[in-house]
C-alpha cells in the first residue's frame, strides 16, 4: 500500500467527489485525483507553486491560501487531503480545525506526514532539519484526537522509496519543495554530499535509493 492508493481507496468512488488538496504545491496530487474524475480544489500559499498547478491541472481550481485560513464556507467539500503539508504550516492545530470546518458531515480528512526517520530524512537533515516541525505535526494530530475534533479511522505507516540518478537529482527534488533550500545547498555542498552518500543505498544500476517513512491518518470529523 502506498499513500496515493490509500487516498484513492479512502475517497472511492472519486468521480464527482469534491476534494480539497491543502498545500497542493505544483499540483501533483491534484492531477492524479482530477484524472480519476474528482472535482479538485487546491490551496497553497505559494504563487509560484500555484502557477505550476494551474498549468498542470487546468480542470482543477486553485486558490492562494494558508491551511489555517481556508477561503471556503462550512461544509464545502466531501474530502480533504494534506499530503506532506501539515508540518509546513505554522499552526498545524489551526489547519486541522479548518479542514474539519470545510468538510460535509461524513467527510474525511487524510493526513500524510513524513516522520523524522529514514534514509531520506538523514540525507535531507544537513539542508533542513525538520525534526521539530515533523514532531509538531504529529503532536497536533494527537491533540485533535484527544480533544474530540476527529476520530481516527485508520493510522498506518508506509515506506516511500525513491531512486535518484545522482546527488544533483536529489537536490533538485528537495529544492522543488522549497526553493529557499538552494542557498543552504550551495553553502554546505560538501556536507550535504557526504550525508547523501552515507544515507543512500547504491543500486546495481548505479542509482541511489532513499526511504522515507510516511504516517497516514484517515480522520473523521466529529460534530461539535
Amino acid at each position: 500500500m502506498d499513500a496515493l492508493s490509500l487516498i484513492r481507496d479512502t475517497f472511492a468512488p472519486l468521480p464527482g467527489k469534491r476534494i480539497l488538496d491543502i498545500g497542493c504545491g505544483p499540483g501533483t496530487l491534484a492531477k492524479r485525483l482530477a484524472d480519476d474524475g474528482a472535482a479538485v480544489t487546491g490551496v497553497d500559499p505559494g504563487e509560484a507553486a500555484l502557477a505550476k498547478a494551474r498549468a498542470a491541472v487546468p480542470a482543477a481550481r486553485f486558490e492562494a491560501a494558508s491551511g489555517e485560513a481556508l477561503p471556503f464556507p462550512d461544509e464545502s467539500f466531501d474530502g480533504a487531503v494534506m499530503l506532506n503539508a501539515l508540518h509546513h504550516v505554522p499552526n498545524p492545530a489551526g489547519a486541522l480545525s479548518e479542514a474539519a470546518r470545510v468538510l460535509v458531515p461524513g467527510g474525511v480528512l487524510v493526513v500524510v506526514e513524513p516522520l523524522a526517520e529514514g534514509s531520506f530524512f538523514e540525507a535531507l537533515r544537513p539542508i533542513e532539519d525538520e525534526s521539530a516541525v515533523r514532531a509538531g505535526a504529529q503532536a497536533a494530530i494527537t491533540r485533535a484526537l484527544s480533544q474530540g475534533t476527529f476520530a481516527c479511522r485508520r493510522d498506518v505507516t508506509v515506506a516511500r522509496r525513491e531512486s535518484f540518478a545522482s546527488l544533483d537529482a536529489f537536490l533538485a527534488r528537495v529544492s522543488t519543495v522549497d526553493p529557499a533550500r538552494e542557498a543552504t545547498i550551495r553553502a554546505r555542498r560538501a556536507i550535504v554530499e557526504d550525508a547523501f552518500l552515507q544515507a543512500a543505498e547504491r543500486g546495481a544500476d548505479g542509482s541511489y535509493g532513499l526511504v522515507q517513512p510516511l504516517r497516514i491518518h484517515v480522520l473523521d470529523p466529529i460534530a461539535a
Side-chain angles (χ1 to χ4, degrees), residues 1 3 5 13 31 47 59 77 81 86 91 131 145 185 191 194 210 214:
M1 173 69 72
S5 296
K31 178 170 175 52
E47 288 292 352
F77 298 96
V81 186
L86 186 60
N91 178 10
S131 299
L145 292 171
I185 291 168
I191 296 170
D194 183 63
L210 294 171
L214 303 172

Side-chain angles (χ1 to χ4, degrees), residues 154-223:
R154 195 167 185 186
D155 178 358
V156 298
T157 300
V158 301
R160 183 188 70 206
R161 301 178 183 276
E162 295 187 64
S163 181
F164 300 93
S166 63
L167 169 65
D168 286 336
F170 168 72
L171 297 179
R173 158 79 165 78
V174 299
S175 296
T176 298
V177 175
D178 183 359
R181 290 172 173 171
E182 294 175 0
T184 303
I185 291 168
R186 288 192 297 270
R188 310 192 72 199
R189 176 79 185 203
I191 296 170
V192 169
E193 181 174 7
D194 183 63
F196 173 79
L197 294 175
Q198 288 193 43
E201 181 178 347
R202 196 76 184 270
D205 61 355
S207 65
Y208 298 87
L210 294 171
V211 177
Q212 175 59 65
L214 303 172
R215 188 174 181 183
I216 306 173
H217 287 88
V218 179
L219 304 172
D220 295 302
I222 298 175

Side-chain angles (χ1 to χ4, degrees), residues 81-92:
V81 186
M82 296 180 182
L83 177 60
N84 298 328
L86 186 60
H87 66 285
H88 290 298
V89 177
N91 178 10

Side-chain angles (χ1 to χ4, degrees), residues 42-60:
V43 296
D44 198 279
E47 288 292 352
L50 289 173
K52 292 179 180 179
R54 291 181 180 117
V57 201

Side-chain angles (χ1 to χ4, degrees), residues 4 21 24-35 53 56-57 62 83:
L4 178 60
D21 183 0
C24 64
T28 304
L29 175 64
K31 178 170 175 52
R32 299 288 186 91
L33 298 179
D35 286 348
V57 201
F62 295 98
L83 177 60

Side-chain angles (χ1 to χ4, degrees), residues 2 6 72 78 87 98 100 104-105 110 113-114 134 136 144 151-152 169 172 186-187:
D2 59 27
L6 194 152
F72 310 109
D78 303 307
H87 66 285
E98 273 289 88
V104 299
V110 180
E113 273 294 301
R134 293 188 184 191
C152 186
R186 288 192 297 270

